[in-house]
Amino acid sequence: MDVFVKILTAAQMQQIDRMTSEQWGVPSLDLMENAGNAVARFLAARYAPLAGQKILVACGRGNNGGDGLVVARLLRQSGGLNPRVLLFADPAALRGDAAVNYGRLAESGAPEAVPDAEAWREIRSSISGSTLIIDALLGTGLSKPLQGFLQEVVRDLNGISGARRVAVDLPTGLSADTGELIGECIHADASVTFTAPKYAHIFPPACEQVGEWKVEQIGTPVEKIDEVPELFLSLTCREDLLWLAAPRRLDSHKGLYGHALIIAGSVGKTGAAALAAKGALRAGAGLVTVATPESALPVVAALGMEFMTEPLPETPSGTVALAALDGGRLDRLAEGQSVVAIGPGLGSHPETAEAIRQFVNRCPAPVVLDADGLNAFAGRISDFKAAGRARVLTPHPGEMARLTGLATADIQKRRIEVARQFAMQNQVVLALKGARTLVASPDGRVAVNPTGNPGMATGGTGDCLTGILAGLIAQHGSREISSAVNAAVYLHGLAGDIAAAHTGETSMIAGDLLETIPQAFISLRRVSE
């Protein structure tokens, strides 16, 4: 699997900071200086010219406040800036590196101490004209909602009209370890975090309060981070997927890029089969065949000139019949295929479900299981047998609930935990769809996809993903299956983002996403150049 950016909890970040100082020889005071320097550089680049800004630096008593004190000192040292610095604590309560940096800042003028609500109420009207607020109150250490004095401060800072707010590490009031909003928090326009993003930078709705965010390295050797145990969560980045943009061989032919078999469609659900087939072709598969119930075949065939079709025996309701297994018919169709995708539009007839279960459990090729292919195992996951063969499951939360027997609300609340356990227990690659689709691997790694938008919440986009998965696996069979799934999920979301930029989120349909897959590839190619 490619190397992705790790996503850390507050405890993991604290452990890495300790290891950086105690094992890797970088003094903690240097880490704080580097952090403040990174924020100051960001401010100078993002909000130039700073000389015209009325800057307020709000500092707490801990290390996050210490970072803010460094920012204030560096701003004072650059170009005669004179930010107003408020310390929301008694200076005598400062300890360690924060106390050292308080002393360094005091040489050019001590911060104003605001130790309690009464002191805050006396001065808060005087900050109403601030245009740039640096939030260095709490950072990543919060685990429960703000109360009392600091809650009042946060509410007032949010209420300053026209001010832009930049958070040091994480907006005050957010928990670093969850995407949930636990209470009042700073509404940041931007956040500068250190070493690696935290959960709240990535997952909604908390990430909506973070604003634009940037990771800065402050001294921790990046190559050493993997030495920390249980760092299983990572963020898929565009730079990790540049292999998708590699040029094809001059002597290319369609046989080099795999043959995808897509078992999909039924009477009334032919569009799902066509969307999956076109997704596979747009993703670059050399050949695509759609196997579909015989009475649905003429409609499916009419929806695309570039893919082939095969008829399958059908039930009276126009879905795949159990007779499709007779004489090894489906087995012969799958023989020699690079990948088999099963599920879009197949329907829920009991015969169809039984045919899916039997075929999936004996198919030797890599299998992508989606939609009605997943529903065939609803309440019967014990019947699913990966048996060491490559299997990719792509449920949305409702399908995941049916597979696991959990409530959909529980799936949404514990997405990472549920996806990871399921992938390990069943030895599959699981793409749990939704805002920030998760790709969980059999070895316990989980990758978070950053692309995609609410406009993709429309019928057919999941079928497109099934096709893209099949297309990439067909071409890149020698690459680790998790890597191909990460790439497909990223490409799918990127195409959706490009489509939404053209159509808007409300009007976007699945066909728009298919049409922008080429632009998504081109976008990746430009990054690689």
Side-chain angles (χ1 to χ4, degrees), residues 209-510:
Q209 307 304 321
V210 169
E212 168 195 356
W213 58 270
K214 185 177 184 183
V215 176
E216 291 283 359
Q217 298 306 318
I218 59 174
T220 297
V222 176
E223 68 277 5
K224 295 282 190 179
I225 292 178
D226 283 335
E227 295 182 11
V228 180
E230 281 301 300
L231 296 187
F232 62 84
L233 190 67
S234 59
L235 181 69
T236 306
C237 296
R238 184 179 294 223
E239 290 75 15
D240 298 308
L241 305 176
L242 299 185
W243 55 270
L244 281 175
R248 288 188 163 186
R249 291 167 39 177
L250 288 177
D251 62 345
S252 287
H253 56 84
K254 60 190 177 186
L256 287 176
Y257 302 111
H259 190 163
L261 173 66
I262 298 177
I263 304 172
S266 58
V267 173
K269 296 180 180 179
T270 50
L275 286 169
K278 290 180 179 181
L281 288 164
R282 283 294 193 191
L287 293 165
V288 174
T289 296
V290 177
T292 195
E294 53 190 353
S295 61
L297 187 145
V299 178
V300 173
L303 291 173
M305 297 180 290
E306 300 89 354
F307 55 81
M308 299 171 283
T309 53
E310 286 283 347
L312 295 175
E314 61 184 31
T315 66
S317 59
T319 66
V320 174
L322 193 58
L325 299 176
D326 290 349
R329 181 185 182 90
L330 270 180
D331 296 316
R332 288 195 301 274
L333 281 177
E335 188 175 347
Q337 303 288 353
S338 309
V339 61
V340 179
I342 307 172
L346 278 177
S348 57
H349 193 284
E351 263 196 56
T352 307
E354 180 60 28
I356 291 168
R357 287 190 292 269
Q358 289 190 31
F359 177 72
V360 167
N361 283 341
R362 70 195 196 201
C363 179
V367 170
V368 177
L369 201 60
D370 182 38
D372 292 318
L374 295 168
N375 290 330
F377 289 95
R380 302 185 60 165
I381 195 61
S382 60
D383 292 342
F384 177 84
K385 308 297 180 186
R389 295 165 298 200
R391 297 292 185 260
V392 180
L393 278 60
T394 64
H396 59 57
E399 291 163 343
M400 192 69 191
R402 291 190 284 274
L403 286 174
T404 60
L406 299 172
T408 303
D410 291 334
I411 298 291
Q412 292 292 70
K413 189 174 182 179
R414 301 188 293 119
R415 282 169 55 83
I416 297 170
E417 176 189 349
V418 170
R420 187 176 188 234
Q421 289 181 351
F422 187 94
M424 290 192 294
Q425 288 171 358
N426 294 284
Q427 288 298 289
V428 299
V429 179
L430 181 83
L432 179 55
K433 294 182 285 197
R436 302 291 185 265
T437 293
L438 304 175
V439 178
S441 300
D443 61 4
R445 294 170 296 170
V446 180
V448 183
N449 180 60
T451 60
N453 62 81
M456 296 169 68
T458 185
T461 56
D463 304 322
C464 296
L465 175 60
T466 299
I468 294 170
L469 279 164
L472 291 188
I473 293 170
Q475 292 169 84
H476 303 286
S478 61
R479 183 172 285 272
E480 184 183 6
I481 194 78
S482 296
S483 182
V485 176
N486 274 307
V489 170
Y490 188 100
L491 186 71
H492 176 254
L494 180 58
D497 290 340
I498 295 170
H502 291 308
T503 67
E505 293 178 353
T506 303
S507 296
M508 192 173 87
I509 59 174

Side-chain angles (χ1 to χ4, degrees), residues 28-40 57-75 85-89 91 93-106 111 134-140 168-169 172 194 218:
S28 60
L29 191 60
D30 287 357
L31 293 177
M32 186 171 287
E33 184 72 15
N34 294 341
N37 218 317
V39 176
V57 185
C59 302
R61 60 180 289 181
N63 285 341
N64 191 249
D67 295 340
L69 294 171
V70 175
V71 174
R73 170 168 50 82
L74 294 173
L75 291 177
V85 189
L86 301 181
L87 177 64
F88 290 86
L94 299 181
R95 298 287 183 270
D97 297 336
V100 171
N101 277 299
Y102 177 86
R104 290 176 175 177
L105 178 63
I134 314 306
D135 167 28
L137 289 169
L138 288 179
T140 61
V168 177
D169 215 354
T172 295
F194 313 118
I218 59 174

